Amino acid sequence: MLAKVYSSAVLGLDAVPIEVEVDVASQGLPSLTIVGLPDKAVEEAKERVRSAIRNSGADFPSKRITINLAPADLPKEGASYDLPIAIGILLASEQLKTDISDAIFTGELALEGKLRHTNGILSHVLLAKEKGLKRIFLPKINAKEAAIIDGVTIFPVASLEELFLHLTEHTKLLPQAHLSFIKYLKDDMYDSDMADIHGQEQAKRAMEIAAAGGHNILLKGPPGAGKTLIARTLPSILPKLTLPEALDVTKIYSTAGNLGKDSLVVRRPFRAPHHTTSHIGLIGGGSMPKPGEISLAHRGVLFLDEFPEFQRHTLEALRQPLEDGFVTVSRAQGRVSFPAKFMLVAAQNPCPCGFLGDNTHPCKCTQTQIVRYQKRVSGPMLDRIDIHLDVPAVKVEKLTEEQKEKAESSKAIQHRVQKARDVQTKRFTHSTITANADMASKEVRTFCQLNKACVDLLKMAVSRMGLSARSYYRAIKVAQTIADLEQSQHITPAHIAESLQYRPRVESSIL
């Protein structure tokens, strides 16, 4: 007898439908064959399913069994096909008689019949909703992750035996209740707070602007100036994730197997890979492409400390994702796109010894060493960074003096950042843009209105600072963010002037 069970496979970040066809032949020697480009994990499902069925109290047919995973030209990987294969065998051997045409099954089986945690569950549930399927049966441990999606009845399954009794109507599985996004939101506690940073008021102002508009930022200064501390404090002032953003981030982490105990990611990601990270580790890839660090930082922050120490070709690979907000990985087995809309926060020393321009420590580097060090990061890469900031060493008086007034906390700054981001959300209501940094040149001309004084100031800056066309538009975007922070309806020359302070000088880019 032939049976069909619906399942799904995660390709990149999105799930695609898979039909599990099971045929139990009346003639032929006992065997179990799986076709449809299965990988080693799928091939080993034979033994897991056989033991799970027997240990659940059902009979494993001693006949010729053929299992086809359609479409046949799509490579299948992972153990999530165990549950649909087991249900298909029970249906084809007529031990189970029920209508499952409106249901999708996914999950890895243990030898005793229990279901284990499965990656990419959120993608499976979204596919079920898209295809109009009413029910999805998945491991109980993944139920809360799936419960954020409304419109699909989610049945958490602890074991194959429990599912068998439910489908034969001996007992009933209780569906997982839908969980509201609001229930996940809470006041986050961060290890670092802006109030703990002393003597770096300009840096804190720059980080506030970067957080409000989603701008990339480069911190350059001597060792011990506080660059890393400032960068690690950035998450505490970022705006809250919206539900669509939270679903995107959760889907990435679920597919990558990094979700952990969290059923939904509600805090913006902060990724800080080491400078020895490989090209694939940063961008993503592999024989079956998986998301890299830039995708794990989607809607959050990618912090690259010791920026020039990263391999040149690895940094150059960031140029396209910084512009487009996604990365495309092509392999012989297919082409996959991963979202990569992140804030780049980079930190570096001005020279190999780190003390170029420092009044207290003389620089020991030769001019050749300085030039070679600074040229490790290409001009086009630096041109894609909106805010360039010199972070000087903190004077000892700032560290030892008693604060007459407590410094402004991250919570107060985050409140202003959130108000500025709300203004941008309203501005870009009818577009896919979420922040000022996402605007292309066309959107800059549409949304950023400049008066004659602003245009004249920009013309002067282009001629004196040698700004490229990309830098010109980035300066306007930063000025728009400064205006949003002040709740100003229009960009003024003061906003333009402050924005231009964050562009690198021509001579500093040559050294």
Side-chain angles (χ1 to χ4, degrees):
M1 183 178 173
L2 179 66
K4 289 186 180 182
V5 181
Y6 291 116
S7 186
S8 55
V10 178
L11 189 62
L13 294 180
D14 298 320
V16 294
I18 299 293
E19 273 191 13
V20 180
E21 300 174 325
V22 180
D23 178 62
V24 177
S26 57
Q27 297 179 343
L29 295 173
S31 64
L32 177 57
T33 306
I34 301 178
V35 296
L37 291 183
D39 72 347
K40 187 65 176 176
V42 180
E43 281 284 353
E44 291 174 348
K46 300 175 185 179
E47 304 307 322
R48 290 193 297 271
V49 170
R50 179 183 285 109
S51 297
I53 289 177
R54 287 175 176 170
N55 290 327
S56 299
D59 294 327
F60 189 86
S62 297
K63 297 182 179 180
R64 180 179 176 82
I65 303 173
T66 304
I67 300 169
N68 179 39
L69 306 178
D73 61 342
L74 181 68
K76 318 298 186 307
E77 66 168 359
S80 62
Y81 303 103
D82 290 2
L83 184 61
I85 289 174
I87 294 298
I89 291 175
L90 293 174
L91 285 169
S93 61
E94 299 185 336
Q95 299 179 69
L96 183 62
K97 294 183 180 180
T98 184
D99 181 17
I100 57 170
S101 59
D102 64 342
I104 189 170
F105 297 80
T106 185
E108 176 186 349
L109 287 171
L111 296 183
E112 58 188 338
K114 291 185 177 180
L115 270 77
R116 302 183 186 275
H117 182 276
T118 302
N119 294 335
I121 283 295
L122 195 59
S123 299
H124 296 294
V125 181
L126 289 171
L127 174 71
K129 183 177 181 179
E130 177 189 341
K131 297 299 181 182
L133 298 172
K134 298 179 180 179
R135 300 177 291 166
I136 180 168
F137 295 89
L138 44 77
K140 188 175 183 178
I141 195 173
N142 292 108
K144 286 188 176 180
E145 176 188 342
I148 195 68
I149 305 298
D150 198 8
V152 181
T153 304
I154 297 162
F155 287 99
V157 182
S159 66
L160 179 60
E161 181 182 4
E162 187 179 80
L163 178 57
F164 181 84
L165 294 174
H166 171 79
L167 294 176
T168 54
E169 299 185 354
H170 285 82
T171 60
K172 284 291 182 183
L173 285 173
L174 295 177
Q176 175 70 40
H178 172 66
L179 296 178
S180 172
F181 178 61
I182 299 175
K183 292 183 179 180
Y184 285 95
L185 297 179
K186 56 184 177 181
D187 290 335
D188 292 323
M189 297 297 294
Y190 294 92
D191 296 333
S192 302
D193 192 280
M194 282 291 181
D196 301 327
I197 300 175
H198 302 294
Q200 295 290 6
E201 300 306 319
Q202 186 182 16
K204 289 196 282 187
R205 169 64 175 172
M207 296 305 280
E208 180 179 344
I209 296 170
H215 301 288
N216 305 321
I217 183 169
L218 172 65
L219 305 174
K220 182 187 292 185
K227 303 185 295 298
T228 301
L229 175 61
I230 293 169
R232 292 190 178 278
T233 311
L234 178 59
S236 65
I237 65 172
L238 289 175
K240 299 290 186 182
L241 279 173
T242 63
L243 176 57
E245 290 175 337
L247 290 177
D248 284 346
V249 177
T250 303
K251 189 160 63 170
I252 295 170
Y253 275 68
S254 178
T255 303
N258 290 2
L259 198 56
K261 295 180 180 180
D262 299 323
S263 53
L264 183 70
V265 179
V266 293
R267 180 187 288 188
R268 292 189 180 271
F270 182 87
R271 306 293 298 185
H274 192 260
H275 63 262
T276 56
T277 301
S278 67
H279 179 276
I280 291 178
L282 190 66
I283 304 301
S287 57
M288 293 295 289
K290 297 293 182 183
E293 289 290 339
I294 64 171
S295 295
L296 293 172
H298 181 61
R299 299 299 180 189
V301 177
L302 178 69
F303 176 45
L304 300 183
D305 202 1
E306 305 296 342
F307 197 41
E309 301 298 335
F310 283 81
Q311 296 182 23
R312 178 69 177 254
H313 75 280
T314 301
L315 290 182
E316 293 304 300
L318 290 176
R319 287 162 55 174
Q320 181 258 334
L322 282 173
E323 289 289 327
D324 300 337
F326 64 90
V327 60
T328 301
V329 179
S330 297
R331 294 293 182 267
Q333 295 178 337
R335 182 178 176 182
V336 176
S337 292
F338 296 114
K341 183 70 70 176
F342 59 90
M343 280 180 61
L344 173 64
V345 179
Q348 71 172 73
N349 298 323
C351 66
C353 78
F355 296 109
L356 178 65
D358 192 351
N359 297 326
T360 58
H361 297 81
C363 177
K364 300 178 181 179
C365 306
T366 65
Q367 188 66 23
T368 303
Q369 289 175 322
I370 295 173
V371 171
R372 186 182 297 115
Y373 180 80
Q374 294 190 353
K375 284 190 174 182
R376 289 182 182 179
V377 183
S378 67
M381 184 67 205
L382 293 174
D383 207 31
R384 285 168 167 79
I385 298 177
D386 302 340
I387 299 175
H388 294 248
L389 185 69
D390 289 328
V391 183
V394 183
K395 294 182 179 180
V396 68
E397 293 83 6
K398 290 285 186 180
L399 297 175
T400 57
E401 71 179 2
E402 300 229 352
Q403 297 289 324
K404 295 180 181 179
E405 295 182 4
K406 186 170 176 60
E408 195 172 28
S409 67
S410 290
K411 191 172 183 179
I413 298 174
Q414 197 270 343
H415 180 68
R416 290 197 301 270
V417 168
Q418 187 67 59
K419 287 178 66 176
R421 191 63 70 93
D422 291 341
V423 170
Q424 296 166 44
T425 301
K426 185 177 180 181
R427 177 185 298 133
F428 305 127
T429 301
H430 301 293
S431 69
T432 58
I433 299 173
T434 58
N436 288 335
D438 299 339
M439 290 189 291
S441 56
K442 180 181 178 181
E443 284 80 18
V444 172
R445 291 191 294 268
T446 301
F447 294 108
C448 303
Q449 302 300 321
L450 302 175
N451 57 30
K452 186 177 184 302
C454 292
V455 173
D456 291 341
L457 183 57
L458 281 169
K459 286 181 179 178
M460 187 184 303
V462 169
S463 61
R464 292 189 178 182
M465 299 176 65
L467 299 183
S468 66
R470 183 186 288 114
S471 298
Y472 171 83
Y473 285 112
R474 288 186 181 276
I476 297 175
K477 289 191 284 186
V478 173
Q480 182 65 69
T481 300
I482 297 171
D484 292 341
L485 280 168
E486 296 181 1
Q487 300 294 301
S488 173
Q489 297 292 327
H490 305 285
I491 299 175
T492 66
H495 301 147
I496 295 290
E498 183 177 359
S499 172
L500 291 173
Q501 291 179 5
Y502 301 121
R503 296 308 309 172
R505 298 179 181 276
V506 175
E507 60 266 24
S508 65
S509 64
I510 295 175
L511 285 178

